Amino acid sequence: MVEVRLENLRKYFDKGRVKAVEEINLTIRDGEFLVLLGPSGCGKTTTLRMISGLEIPTAGKIWFGEREVTYLPPKDRNISMVFQSYAVWPHMKVYDNIAFPLRIKKYPEDEIRRRVRWAAELLQIEGLLDRYPAQLSGGQRQRVAVARAIVVEPDVLLMDEPLSNLDAKLRVMMRAEIKKLQTQLKVTTVYVTHDQVEAMTMGDRIAVMKQGKVLQVGPPVEVYSKPNSIFVATFIGAPEMNIVDVTVKETDKGVVLEGEGFEVPLPEDLGELLRNYINKTVVFGIRPEHMTIEGISEFLHVKRKARIEGVVDFVEALGTDTIIHAKVGSKIIKVKVPGHIPVELKKEIGIIIDLDNIHVFDKSTEKAII
Amino acid sequence: MNDRTKFMLKQIAFYTFIFTVVAWIVVPLVVVTLYAFSSKLDYYDPNRIVPLHYTKQWVYTLLFTLGALDAIKNSIIVAVLTIIISFALGIPAGYAMAKFIFPAKDTIKLSIVALRMFPIPVMAIPLVVLYIRLNLIDTLLGVALAHTAMALPFVVLITSSIFAGVSTELEEAAMVFGLTRLGAFLKITLPLALPGLAAAAMFTFVMSWNEVFVASVLTLQHRTLPAQILSIMAGASGGAAPDYYKFAAAFIMILPAMLFIFFARRYLITMWGITLR
């Protein structure tokens, strides 16, 4: 168990033409479950591979505790990895697959047997030890890969989208199991995914990446409620945050966000933050779940509200929730209300906005102001 | 014509095709085997297609009197040496072609194949001169080296496509769990590539086994089977050999190759509960 520190880490491919990772500074605490989250091609897998030693950084350093491992081959780092394709060796039985790392490290045979049993029991694959991987289902193979990764008690456990090849139901189950396992083993874990639900449910902290850079690092709730940029705000949350261009206006009611066909008056403290943006265009963001429809549900717990008007354009009935697409001006604003709510199309509705959960971003830098 | 008749006709056409292909391969084998053991009278009887009287004489004479047995030994040694040398050189090259990106990769790949454009006879005289200087003339190693030169391009291309088929992640997993790159190759990639390598070995064996020109030019005392048989048939021992000797020779040539393929074949089909290519 160690702390992992990435210092100014860069990785360029193809003689610098492809910048996979640019300037990553990140500390993964001892025993922490850190999720690298980002769209495909953002450099998250490359970062993971540099931590594993399968890729050597173009510049920067990697520290495991007080030990610099930047140029160390993978075998000398005491790490484990779960690969996206599981990478379970097809010519070895499940038992031999799990025992392999122990055999390489020359554990005595009875110790190997004991540890393989322990890992197999933990992942409920005791019955499969005599089979070849080709005789297993995807989910079982995945369990073998995880068992193999934890059997050596690694300092750092790396996972590269381990659940992306599983079906939805199994994914939800394995999500919880891996998280529980990690909490139990207290092993420093770096988990790569593009699935924001996985990131939210599993991570102690999430690092959101885009184009080789880490945009924001923080606990899931913080990244969700205080995104520091438009990218983070829209990447996390489903359906994604509504984003509308508005102009900041000073009126006798105080500071107002004026958009096409609507107006959101701001409380004094929020208005104060936008002092420098009077008469400028900014980006207004509000999550679908931080709004409701007038007359359908009341935001009783919400102290500060604003009301805008729109016309129902489309309704997505998910059963557990209803997502109402309301046309406000020429833009579509999505509002998520819990439960199954029948709403007539083309009906004029009032939308209530929770002002404590609004976001305002700078138009040019895309950074958060509120 | 209704659908059923169409289906039947298609089936008939399909099986006719299969039958033709199989017959194309099997009929010569049967004919060769029959006539290799046919008695002289039966062979020359114009009214008889399938001989009724058989004799082992021709095969025996070839093997023991005319030196075919020694030639078979030589051929096996040369073929095995060729496999060893061409694999030792070709596997690393094939691996590099499959797994690494390096400058001029495509050019190198092309030039490897392009080597085979040169007709062997063009190189025969320089090769002999070179071999005399290197003291390799009339040695089995010399023949094996020449055969390696001929087989290597294919070994490189075949093994590179085999290694490309073994997922890199499997090897990376081995490296993460404590092996060096070489260790990962030996423990993971090589066993997984075994079926493909067996096929490549078969190919190399048959190529070396059948090669007659280089073997004839480069050897005199230590002839491989095709070279030995060529010299027997062409009348090195005074006058061309009778036809049934030719069939017996063909039989001797075919049998070991068939046996080799028969044994190497098992590595191609099923391993580790999976059916591999």
Side-chain angles (χ1 to χ4, degrees):
Chain A
M1 327 279 133
V2 292
E3 178 185 270
V4 176
R5 225 159 56 245
L6 312 180
E7 273 178 21
N8 303 320
L9 208 58
R10 290 164 188 266
K11 180 69 187 179
Y12 298 164
F13 289 109
D14 208 4
K15 292 176 191 144
R17 273 193 287 269
V18 183
K19 296 182 168 147
V21 171
E22 282 192 87
E23 283 285 337
I24 288 195
N25 282 290
L26 192 62
T27 302
I28 301 135
R29 294 170 198 145
D30 188 357
E32 182 179 40
F33 194 119
L34 182 102
V35 178
L36 289 176
L37 175 68
S40 49
C42 73
K44 55 194 192 302
T45 296
T46 307
T47 308
L48 191 81
R49 288 170 61 85
M50 285 193 283
I51 301 174
S52 75
L54 290 170
E55 216 73 74
I56 298 296
T58 309
K61 284 179 179 169
I62 302 168
W63 297 83
F64 282 8
E66 293 308 306
R67 191 163 65 117
E68 199 202 317
V69 298
T70 320
Y71 299 102
L72 227 53
K75 70 184 180 67
D76 299 329
R77 297 190 183 203
N78 196 22
I79 50 164
S80 275
M81 192 156 166
V82 180
F83 290 81
Q84 186 172 7
S85 65
Y86 318 138
V88 173
W89 301 301
H91 61 305
M92 295 181 197
K93 287 186 174 171
V94 170
Y95 181 92
D96 298 312
N97 259 285
I98 302 174
F100 187 87
L102 300 169
R103 293 215 172 109
I104 299 293
K105 295 196 168 73
K106 303 239 180 333
Y107 279 66
E109 202 55 42
D110 54 330
E111 172 76 0
I112 292 178
R113 216 169 304 127
R114 201 181 59 72
R115 281 180 179 244
V116 172
R117 295 260 164 244
W118 166 78
E121 257 168 54
L122 217 53
L123 285 141
Q124 297 151 32
I125 46 171
E126 307 102 300
L128 307 174
L129 291 175
D130 271 340
R131 303 217 192 147
Y132 280 110
Q135 299 160 317
L136 305 181
S137 70
Q140 290 169 330
R141 252 177 268 178
Q142 217 273 336
R143 282 164 191 274
V144 175
V146 175
R148 181 179 65 182
I150 61 168
V151 78
V152 276
E153 295 182 5
D155 283 342
V156 183
L157 177 59
L158 306 170
M159 301 204 209
D160 187 4
E161 310 210 15
L163 305 183
S164 60
N165 290 342
L166 298 181
D167 63 65
K169 217 170 178 175
L170 210 54
R171 204 180 307 163
V172 174
M173 201 172 90
M174 283 306 288
R175 210 156 69 194
E177 279 190 34
I178 290 180
K179 176 65 186 167
K180 263 192 251 167
L181 201 66
Q182 193 270 344
T183 318
Q184 194 184 333
L185 299 172
K186 296 190 187 63
V187 53
T188 312
T189 303
V190 184
Y191 186 104
V192 163
T193 183
H194 62 258
D195 181 342
Q196 46 112 359
V197 182
E198 265 174 41
M200 292 296 288
T201 51
M202 297 174 83
D204 293 328
R205 283 194 305 157
I206 300 177
V208 185
M209 288 185 69
K210 184 199 179 188
Q211 290 172 355
K213 290 186 176 127
V214 173
L215 294 186
Q216 187 172 4
V217 191
V221 176
E222 186 186 302
V223 176
Y224 169 81
S225 59
K226 300 233 173 312
N228 68 358
S229 56
I230 296 180
F231 180 81
V232 176
T234 51
F235 196 77
I236 290 181
E240 72 178 45
M241 186 186 281
N242 296 293
I243 294 288
V244 194
D245 279 3
V246 293
T247 312
V248 184
K249 285 272 156 84
E250 173 115 64
T251 64
D252 46 352
K253 288 177 281 183
V255 176
V256 170
L257 298 177
E258 194 184 277
E260 190 195 338
F262 71 96
E263 209 182 67
V264 179
L266 296 181
E268 215 169 301
D269 57 325
L270 296 182
E272 205 54 45
L273 296 169
L274 292 173
R275 217 17 90 194
N276 296 332
Y277 290 87
I278 303 291
N279 292 327
K280 283 186 188 155
T281 306
V282 292
V283 178
F284 169 61
I286 177 82
R287 292 196 186 277
E289 55 270 36
H290 293 141
M291 290 183 285
T292 191
I293 307 292
E294 203 174 39
I296 289 176
S297 75
E298 300 303 321
F299 263 3
L300 291 177
H301 62 288
V302 173
K303 291 181 198 76
R304 307 195 286 185
K305 309 173 206 183
R307 181 179 182 278
I308 61 173
E309 280 169 0
V311 178
V312 178
D313 188 63
F314 181 69
V315 178
E316 289 177 58
L318 304 177
T320 51
D321 300 302
T322 307
I323 294 159
I324 296 150
H325 297 219
K327 197 159 196 168
V328 178
S330 64
K331 287 272 186 337
I332 298 288
I333 300 276
K334 292 182 189 174
V335 181
K336 183 166 144 183
V337 279
H340 177 68
I341 313 281
V343 194
E344 274 173 58
L345 294 181
K346 305 281 173 236
K347 190 185 161 195
E348 287 187 14
I349 49 169
I351 301 167
I352 308 293
I353 294 173
D354 172 0
L355 286 178
D356 287 318
N357 279 306
I358 63 165
H359 304 269
V360 179
F361 305 95
D362 188 299
K363 176 96 177 143
S364 58
T365 64
E366 305 204 337
K367 293 267 182 264
I369 307 164
I370 296 176
Chain B
M1 207 186 331
N2 64 21
D3 285 351
R4 192 182 151 76
T5 353
K6 253 191 218 165
F7 174 76
M8 294 301 281
L9 281 176
K10 264 188 201 163
Q11 289 290 88
I12 291 168
F14 178 70
Y15 283 107
T16 312
F17 175 72
I18 300 279
F19 180 80
T20 316
V21 171
V22 173
W24 183 272
I25 295 161
V26 172
V27 169
L29 290 178
V30 172
V31 169
V32 162
T33 313
L34 283 179
Y35 291 157
F37 294 98
S38 164
S39 72
K40 201 190 277 180
L41 287 175
D42 276 18
Y43 180 82
Y44 284 118
D45 188 345
N47 299 321
R48 213 166 259 172
I49 294 173
V50 179
L52 292 175
H53 303 91
Y54 293 96
T55 169
K56 286 182 264 183
Q57 196 194 334
W58 324 128
V59 173
Y60 271 59
T61 314
L62 270 177
L63 284 177
F64 301 111
T65 318
L66 295 170
L69 193 63
D70 286 336
I72 287 177
K73 277 186 215 146
N74 290 343
S75 264
I76 289 173
I77 293 170
V78 167
V80 170
L81 273 178
T82 304
I83 291 173
I84 292 171
I85 303 171
S86 63
F87 272 37
L89 297 173
I91 284 177
Y95 184 81
M97 291 282 176
K99 301 276 179 181
F100 301 124
I101 298 164
F102 49 86
K105 183 171 165 177
D106 289 337
T107 320
I108 293 172
K109 225 172 180 174
L110 184 69
S111 49
I112 286 176
V113 190
L115 273 181
R116 294 290 277 128
M117 288 194 319
F118 297 101
I120 304 287
V122 172
M123 296 191 291
I125 303 292
L127 204 58
V128 169
V129 173
L130 183 71
Y131 269 36
I132 291 174
R133 287 192 186 144
L134 292 174
N135 257 337
L136 279 170
I137 199 79
D138 201 13
T139 62
L140 297 181
L141 180 64
V143 182
L145 285 174
H147 285 178
T148 300
M150 297 165 74
L152 198 52
F154 294 105
V155 171
V156 172
L157 291 185
I158 293 173
T159 54
S160 100
S161 76
I162 296 164
F163 290 134
V166 177
S167 152
T168 311
E169 279 199 345
L170 294 176
E171 216 170 89
E172 286 177 346
M175 285 163 69
V176 163
F177 290 115
L179 288 179
T180 57
R181 185 173 273 283
L182 181 66
F185 173 75
L186 293 177
K187 282 228 161 100
I188 306 294
T189 311
L190 209 53
L192 286 172
L194 209 57
L197 295 180
M202 257 191 243
F203 176 85
T204 312
F205 185 92
V206 171
M207 191 237 90
S208 167
W209 185 264
N210 285 336
E211 200 287 323
V212 62
F213 184 82
V214 168
S216 302
V217 172
L218 295 179
T219 56
L220 203 58
Q221 301 295 322
H222 303 97
R223 295 229 133 138
T224 59
L225 188 60
Q228 181 70 11
I229 283 173
L230 182 71
S231 78
I232 297 169
M233 295 306 134
S237 45
D243 279 355
Y244 37 84
Y245 274 113
K246 291 174 186 159
F247 281 110
F251 177 76
I252 290 172
M253 284 216 59
I254 292 167
L255 194 65
M258 294 278 274
L259 285 176
F260 179 80
I261 290 176
F262 184 78
F263 286 113
R265 193 185 63 136
R266 72 177 58 182
Y267 292 103
L268 292 181
I269 312 207
T270 325
M271 281 175 112
W272 314 303
I274 5 166
T275 306
L276 293 147
R277 291 150 293 150

